[in-house]
């Protein structure tokens, strides 16, 4: 005991504050602050801002619409993949495999410029480009979400549905009251990530000339030759949106982890 | 009450888990199934409420032929309680909600009635004070007693137990077995797969020894313990009794 002080021992104190401090947050906030300052006090940036931010409405509308439709497709296709019906199961699987295998950009062209016109010829209905692109994003993220739902449902141990069925609950009752509520814990975090990903991918609507923020930035830069100002502003808007969303998400996740430990 | 004839279960067309098993269980009888691991005893039990669909044979429970496609399996299952090795409580629900779920959804009880029945059963298994807890907050023994209460709340005619004490720490085995003994004394029809020979001795009307998917020997527990007639039975008890 006496030579405790002199001898080096493999013991560990808790980590010092500077080791655990979220420095990245300071850097990000500084960056955002600097961007905001530029936009507020530099007239070129101000000009870009005024031209670009009206597109935010389109960006946000497309994000929510795509996410909503994708959620429905994802749940249906995800359950379809787990269906007992051979036909349903294989249709669902085919859909997921094909859509996941094509990059978003070419798929937007295929859907918006080939498939939608063909369908609208038949049913005699004109669909604007924003809607076409939104539908494409929904189809793509529907396939991604189908995998999330399938994985979430499969993450619930089979003993849970056996217990439900043993009590006389029907398949549907067991799914709704026992399996899905537990699957949600595995489903919600990746769904949140997909929401952020959709928000970013609405920038691809610009290739169809839809006037969301990226397209407005392109137009502004091309007509004024102020590329730095235009793209800086659009990057700032995306960053602001995605960062606030991910903060929201981590709060949600923390709340769910607490539930999982059974505290109230 | 239960009548299985020529019960056979084959997995993937190659693994013969259960071969041509005949099993009759009368009302009020306690039948204990023992056997080496992988012998098919759990599979036999799971065929009795169709968690496993038999490959061949017939299973008649409470007068209903389970292998007849027109039988409403959900309604038969409400009369057959099942207790699992891993408890399988619903972790997202409180103890009370675990028990009331099926009462409300299947038995159509209102909230007040369901809670009343749930508390009655929780008292029966000795832990009414845990009603508002979540399963994670309970010990293994308490969780298994809640699982038993959850099954009993449906007022079943038959209770199936699939190694109910095998996942428990040693000091918690007794509290669960005590509940089961009480249940047996109350006249419940029970089929129990277990390695607890003490329970078999105390409660079983009949002991069934299964090995390699076949029933090797049936009889009173004392008889089989003391004078096993088959070599396989002798080998098994020689390994587990000391």
């Amino acid at each position: 005991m006496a030579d405790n002080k002199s001898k080096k021992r493999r013991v560990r104190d808790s980590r010092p504050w500077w080791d655990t401090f979220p420095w990245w947050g300071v850097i990000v906030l500084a960056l955002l602050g600097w961007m905001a300052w530029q936009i507020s006090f530099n007239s070129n940036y101000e000009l870009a801002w005024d031209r670009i931010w009206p597109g935010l409405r389109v960006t946000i509308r497309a994000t929510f619409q795509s996410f909503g439709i994708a959620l429905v497709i994802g749940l249906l296709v995800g359950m379809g993949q787990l269906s007992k019906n051979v036909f349903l199961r294989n249709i669902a699987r085919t859909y997921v495999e094909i859509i996941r295998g094509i990059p978003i950009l070419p798929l937007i062209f295929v859907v918006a410029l080939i498939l939608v016109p063909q369908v609208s010829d038949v049913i005699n209905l004109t669909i604007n480009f924003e809607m076409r692109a939104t539908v494409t994003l929904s189809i793509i993220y529907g396939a991604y979400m189908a995998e999330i739902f399938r994985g979430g449902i499969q993450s619930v141990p089979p003993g849970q549905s056996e217990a439900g069925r043993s009590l006389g609950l029907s398949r549907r009752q067991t799914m709704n009251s026992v399996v899905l509520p537990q699957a949600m814990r595995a489903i919600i975090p990746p769904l949140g990530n997909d929401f952020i990903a959709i928000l970013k991918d609405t920038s691809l609507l610009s290739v169809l000339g839809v006037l969301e923020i990226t397209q407005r930035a392109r137009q502004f830069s091309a007509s004024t030759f102020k590329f730095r100002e235009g793209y800086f502003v659009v990057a700032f808007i995306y960053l602001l949106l995605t960062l606030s969303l991910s903060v929201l998400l981590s709060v949600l996740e923390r709340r769910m982890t607490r539930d999982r430990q059974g505290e109230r | 009450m239960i009548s299985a004839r020529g019960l056979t279960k084959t997995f993937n067309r190659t693994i013969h888990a259960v071969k041509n098993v005949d099993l009759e269980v009368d009302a009020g009888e306690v039948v204990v199934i023992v056997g080496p691991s992988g012998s098919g005893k759990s599979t036999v039990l799971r065929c009795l409420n169709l968690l496993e669909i038999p490959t061949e044979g017939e299973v008649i429970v409470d007068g209903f032929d389970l292998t007849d496609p027109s039988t409403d399996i959900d309604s038969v299952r409400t009369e057959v309680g099942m207790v699992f090795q891993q408890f399988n409580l619903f972790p997202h629900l409180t103890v009370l909600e675990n028990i009331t779920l099926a009462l409300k959804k299947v038995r159509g009880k209102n909230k007040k009635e369901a809670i009343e029945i749930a508390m009655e059963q929780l008292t029966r298994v000795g832990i009414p004070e845990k009603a508002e807890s979540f399963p994670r907050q309970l010990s293994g023994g308490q969780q298994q007693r809640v699982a038993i209460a959850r099954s009993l709340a449906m007022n079943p005619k038959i209770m199936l137990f699939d190694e109910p004490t095998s996942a428990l720490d040693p000091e918690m085995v007794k509290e669960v077995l005590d509940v089961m003994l009480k249940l047996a004394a109350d006249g419940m029809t029970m089929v129990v797969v277990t390695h607890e020979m003490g329970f078999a001795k105390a409660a079983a009307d009949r002991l069934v020894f299964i090995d390699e998917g076949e029933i090797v020997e049936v009889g009173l527990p004392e008889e089989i313990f003391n004078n096993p007639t088959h070599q396989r039975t002798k080998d098994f008890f020689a390994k587990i009794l000391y």
Side-chain angles (χ1 to χ4, degrees):
Chain A
M1 284 309 233
D3 56 4
N4 250 1
K5 265 181 203 156
S6 54
K7 209 169 161 188
K8 251 200 162 165
R9 293 168 63 232
R10 183 179 276 164
V11 293
R12 182 174 287 166
D13 199 356
S14 56
R15 291 150 77 193
W17 70 271
W18 48 263
D19 192 49
T20 51
F21 190 82
W23 295 107
W24 62 270
V26 177
I27 298 169
V28 168
L29 280 179
L31 195 67
L32 285 177
W34 176 72
M35 282 175 152
W37 184 79
Q38 288 276 343
I39 290 165
S40 318
F41 297 107
N42 181 318
S43 61
N44 280 338
Y45 281 98
E46 223 179 308
L47 200 63
W49 172 266
D50 288 341
R51 288 278 299 278
I52 292 168
W53 82 265
L56 201 55
R57 259 182 64 162
V58 180
T59 295
I60 289 175
R61 184 167 61 214
T63 305
F64 275 99
Q65 284 175 349
S66 300
F67 185 75
I69 303 170
L71 215 53
V72 176
I73 296 177
L75 184 60
L76 291 179
V77 176
M79 304 255 276
Q81 290 195 71
L82 298 172
S83 167
K84 282 206 158 166
N85 186 315
V86 185
F87 181 73
L88 273 181
R89 205 169 54 221
N90 282 286
I91 291 288
R93 187 88 224 145
T94 308
Y95 171 77
V96 169
E97 292 301 336
I98 287 182
I99 298 301
R100 278 198 314 180
I102 305 174
I104 299 182
L105 189 57
L107 202 59
I108 286 182
F109 288 133
V110 170
V111 173
L113 304 179
I114 301 167
L115 292 183
V116 171
Q118 276 179 354
V119 172
S120 54
D121 273 357
V122 176
I123 58 173
N124 217 354
L125 185 84
T126 43
I127 302 168
N128 68 26
F129 277 110
E130 184 190 328
M131 210 51 229
R132 293 184 199 186
T134 303
V135 167
T136 316
L137 280 183
S138 310
I139 290 173
I140 293 162
Y141 277 90
Y144 297 165
M145 288 181 190
E147 286 294 275
I148 294 174
F149 278 106
R150 182 185 60 80
I153 291 168
Q154 285 182 326
S155 76
V156 179
Q160 288 293 312
S161 43
E162 284 179 1
R165 297 303 305 277
S166 297
L167 288 166
L169 295 169
S170 66
R171 268 171 148 295
R172 181 179 293 253
Q173 286 171 328
T174 304
M175 183 52 85
N176 290 343
S177 308
V178 177
V179 179
L180 278 183
Q182 295 184 61
M184 276 308 153
R185 304 215 157 125
I187 287 171
I188 285 175
L191 277 190
N193 288 336
D194 270 7
F195 186 80
I196 294 174
I198 288 178
L199 173 72
K200 291 188 293 177
D201 283 346
T202 55
S203 62
L204 292 166
L205 269 62
S206 62
V207 300
L208 297 177
V210 176
L211 282 173
E212 43 71 65
I213 54 177
T214 304
Q215 176 65 2
R216 280 175 178 269
R218 282 172 65 181
Q219 285 186 349
F220 170 80
S221 304
S223 61
T224 60
F225 294 103
K226 295 187 198 324
F227 291 96
R228 177 194 304 222
E229 288 82 350
Y231 289 125
F232 241 60
V233 166
V234 81
F236 172 74
I237 296 175
Y238 280 123
L239 205 52
L240 206 61
L241 291 174
T242 51
L243 284 177
S244 7
L245 279 172
S246 62
V247 167
L248 224 71
L249 258 179
S250 66
V251 169
L252 189 70
E253 268 175 55
R254 213 167 312 158
R255 267 186 44 192
M256 283 183 356
T257 336
R258 202 180 51 210
D259 286 352
R260 193 178 310 163
Q261 281 155 2
E263 294 164 14
R264 294 220 277 192
Chain B
M1 194 61 111
I2 300 174
S3 162
R5 284 171 203 280
L7 183 63
T8 299
K9 177 69 187 178
T10 311
F11 292 104
N12 294 330
R13 301 208 174 129
T14 48
I15 303 155
H16 303 280
V18 176
K19 294 175 227 165
N20 202 18
V21 161
D22 296 316
L23 184 68
E24 305 281 331
V25 182
D26 294 331
E29 206 180 8
V30 176
V31 172
V32 171
I33 302 177
V34 298
S37 67
S39 61
K41 51 195 192 304
S42 284
T43 309
V44 170
L45 195 75
R46 289 161 60 85
C47 283
L48 301 183
N49 70 349
L50 224 62
L51 281 182
E52 242 29 283
I53 297 172
T55 313
E56 265 176 68
E58 61 170 19
V59 181
I60 295 167
V61 173
D62 191 24
F64 294 96
D65 183 354
L66 298 194
T67 49
D68 178 352
S70 65
T71 301
D72 178 5
I73 185 63
D74 290 338
S75 81
V76 177
R77 279 177 177 151
T78 62
E79 306 297 336
V80 183
M82 177 103 178
V83 175
F84 300 86
Q85 183 176 357
Q86 298 296 339
F87 328 137
N88 294 347
L89 292 179
F90 308 134
H92 62 301
L93 302 178
T94 63
V95 164
L96 200 63
E97 289 163 345
N98 261 277
I99 303 175
T100 55
L101 179 68
L103 285 171
K104 287 191 275 198
K105 301 249 174 210
V106 180
R107 291 281 194 232
K109 305 277 185 202
N110 66 34
K111 200 176 167 193
K112 192 167 158 275
E113 292 169 326
I115 291 177
E116 211 167 281
I117 295 170
M119 289 311 297
E120 200 178 294
Q121 295 303 332
L122 275 178
T123 310
R124 191 170 175 187
V125 300
I127 38 174
E129 73 278 7
K130 297 293 184 188
E132 296 302 327
S133 304
F134 281 90
R136 284 185 75 95
Q137 299 167 315
L138 305 183
S139 72
Q142 291 170 333
Q143 288 192 47
Q144 192 61 296
R145 285 190 280 160
V146 171
I148 294 172
R150 180 173 70 176
S151 287
L152 288 177
M154 297 298 283
N155 197 20
K157 294 178 179 157
I158 301 165
M159 285 288 283
L160 308 176
F161 292 84
D162 188 3
E163 301 200 27
T165 58
S166 297
L168 296 176
D169 289 332
E171 75 268 28
M172 292 162 189
V173 170
K174 189 170 179 297
E175 65 187 59
V176 171
L177 291 181
D178 282 345
V179 169
M180 290 168 62
L181 278 173
K182 216 165 68 182
L183 202 56
D186 289 347
M188 175 63 78
T189 308
M190 292 162 68
V191 182
V192 184
V193 170
T194 187
H195 295 294
E196 295 295 334
M197 297 305 148
F199 174 81
K201 243 179 230 174
D205 297 309
R206 251 184 319 147
L207 191 72
V208 177
F209 176 71
I210 293 186
D211 189 22
E212 292 178 356
E214 295 165 321
I215 294 185
V216 177
E217 202 161 343
V218 183
L220 292 171
E222 294 288 352
E223 278 173 19
I224 297 185
F225 288 147
N226 299 332
N227 303 303
T229 48
H230 287 71
Q231 190 56 42
R232 280 195 276 181
T233 323
K234 280 179 197 161
D235 292 346
F236 176 70
F237 285 116
K239 276 178 201 150
I240 64 158
L241 299 175
Y242 57 84

